[in-house]
C-alpha cells in the first residue's frame, strides 16, 4: 500500500492537484469537527471521540496542511472549538497544545476565534502544570473577550483564571474572579 500511496502522490504532484486536494481534505475535516459541535460535550461524546480517534491521522494532516499554508484562521475552527476536549480526554494534550500555540503564532487578529484558541491553549498549559504560560494566555484572552464584549468568553476566562489562582493557593483572588463570573454564567444559563 505504501508503494501505491507514493505513486499516487507523485502523480498528484505532476498533475498540480495537491493543493486542491489538500483544500478539499481540510474543508471536509473542518466540517466534521463543526458538525460534532456541542455533541462532543453531551451524550454523544464517546461516539464522537471514537470517530475522531479513527480519523486522528486525517485531522492531524488537515491541521498540518492548514498551518503550513498559512491558513490559521481556518485552523481556529478546529482548535478553537470543542474538539479540544478530544485532545484533553484522549491523552493528546501535548499535541493539541502545540497545534494551538502554532495557530496563535500565525493568527493574531483580535476576534472571538482567537479568544477561543487562547482559552483552549491556556487550559492546556494549566493542565500540564505550566501556570506561567497559562496565566499569559488566559489574561490575554480575558482582555480580548472584554474588548469583544462577549459575556460567555468573559465568564469562561474569569472562571479559568479563578481555577488557576485557586490551584496556586491564591484563594482571595480566585474568589474575586469566581464572584465576577458567577452572574455572567447565570445570565447565560450555564
Amino acid at each position: 500500500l505504501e508503494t501505491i500511496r507514493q505513486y499516487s502522490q507523485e502523480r498528484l504532484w505532476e498533475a498540480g492537484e495537491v493543493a486542491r486536494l489538500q483544500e478539499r481534505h481540510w474543508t471536509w475535516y473542518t466540517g466534521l469537527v463543526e458538525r460534532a459541535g456541542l455533541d462532543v460535550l453531551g451524550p454523544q461524546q464517546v461516539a464522537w471521540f471514537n470517530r475522531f480517534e479513527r480519523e486522528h491521522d486525517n485531522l492531524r494532516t488537515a491541521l498540518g496542511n492548514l498551518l503550513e499554508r498559512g491558513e490559521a484562521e481556518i485552523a481556529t475552527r478546529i482548535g478553537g472549538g470543542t474538539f479540544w476536549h478530544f485532545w484533553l480526554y484522549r491523552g493528546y494534550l501535548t499535541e493539541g497544545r502545540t497545534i494551538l500555540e502554532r495557530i496563535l503564532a500565525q493568527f493574531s487578529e483580535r476576534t472571538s476565534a482567537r479568544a477561543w484558541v487562547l482559552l483552549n491553549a491556556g487550559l492546556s498549559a494549566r493542565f500540564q502544570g505550566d501556570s506561567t504560560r497559562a496565566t499569559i494566555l488566559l489574561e490575554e484572552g480575558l482582555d480580548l473577550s472584554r474588548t469583544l464584549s462577549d459575556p460567555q468568553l468573559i465568564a469562561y476566562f474569569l472562571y479559568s483564571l479563578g481555577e488557576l489562582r485557586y490551584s496556586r493557593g491564591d484563594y482571595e483572588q480566585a474568589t474575586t474572579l469566581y464572584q465576577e463570573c458567577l452572574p455572567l454564567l447565570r445570565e447565560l444559563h450555564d
Side-chain angles (χ1 to χ4, degrees), residues 39-50 85 89-90:
D39 284 349
V40 169
L41 304 176
Q44 297 299 314
Q45 184 179 64
V46 172
W48 276 110
F49 282 3
N50 288 342
H85 292 86
Y89 295 127
R90 287 292 175 101

Side-chain angles (χ1 to χ4, degrees), residues 7 15-16 24 38 43 54 56 63 97 107 118 134 141 165 174:
Y7 175 78
R24 286 182 62 197
L38 292 176
R54 287 189 307 271
H56 199 183
L63 282 163
R97 183 177 173 197
F107 185 68
L118 284 164
R165 298 292 194 275

Side-chain angles (χ1 to χ4, degrees), residues 142 158-159 161-162 165 173-182:
L142 178 59
L158 288 169
Y159 181 79
L161 282 164
R165 298 292 194 275
Q173 183 63 34
T175 300
T176 302
L177 291 162
Y178 290 146
Q179 287 173 338
E180 189 179 349
C181 85
L182 187 58

Side-chain angles (χ1 to χ4, degrees), residues 13-188:
W13 279 108
E14 290 171 7
E17 293 292 316
V18 172
R20 186 180 66 79
L21 288 177
Q22 284 177 340
E23 185 173 342
R24 286 182 62 197
H25 184 261
W26 79 52
T27 298
W28 197 91
Y29 281 97
T30 300
L32 175 69
V33 170
E34 289 175 334
R35 280 190 304 281
L38 292 176
D39 284 349
V40 169
L41 304 176
Q44 297 299 314
Q45 184 179 64
V46 172
W48 276 110
F49 282 3
N50 288 342
R51 175 120 188 235
F52 291 156
E53 194 73 55
R54 287 189 307 271
E55 299 288 356
H56 199 183
D57 286 338
N58 279 312
L59 287 157
R60 282 181 181 132
T61 299
L63 282 163
N65 288 336
L66 282 164
L67 293 170
E68 286 171 19
R69 299 245 321 254
E71 298 287 353
E73 184 173 6
I74 298 170
T76 65
R77 293 168 45 198
I78 298 174
T82 56
F83 182 71
W84 172 81
H85 292 86
F86 169 75
W87 286 324
L88 173 65
Y89 295 127
R90 287 292 175 101
Y92 301 108
L93 198 53
T94 299
E95 174 184 327
R97 183 177 173 197
T98 301
I99 290 169
L100 293 169
E101 291 281 1
R102 287 182 65 196
I103 291 170
L104 290 171
Q106 289 185 24
F107 185 68
S108 60
E109 290 182 37
R110 294 182 56 80
T111 64
S112 62
R114 180 175 172 80
W116 284 105
V117 175
L118 284 164
L119 180 65
N120 292 344
L123 291 172
S124 298
R126 178 178 163 251
F127 290 138
Q128 289 190 315
D130 188 350
S131 61
T132 302
R133 183 68 180 149
T135 300
I136 291 167
L137 294 166
L138 294 173
E139 286 179 350
E140 180 185 341
L142 178 59
D143 176 60
L144 176 56
S145 63
R146 288 187 196 280
T147 300
L148 297 170
S149 301
D150 185 321
Q152 183 180 37
L153 279 167
I154 293 168
Y156 288 174
F157 278 107
L158 288 169
Y159 181 79
S160 298
L161 282 164
E163 289 287 291
L164 182 61
R165 298 292 194 275
Y166 182 85
S167 70
R168 293 165 69 182
D170 186 354
Y171 305 122
E172 188 175 314
Q173 183 63 34
T175 300
T176 302
L177 291 162
Y178 290 146
Q179 287 173 338
E180 189 179 349
C181 85
L182 187 58
L184 295 171
L185 290 172
R186 285 185 176 142
E187 280 180 39
L188 296 165

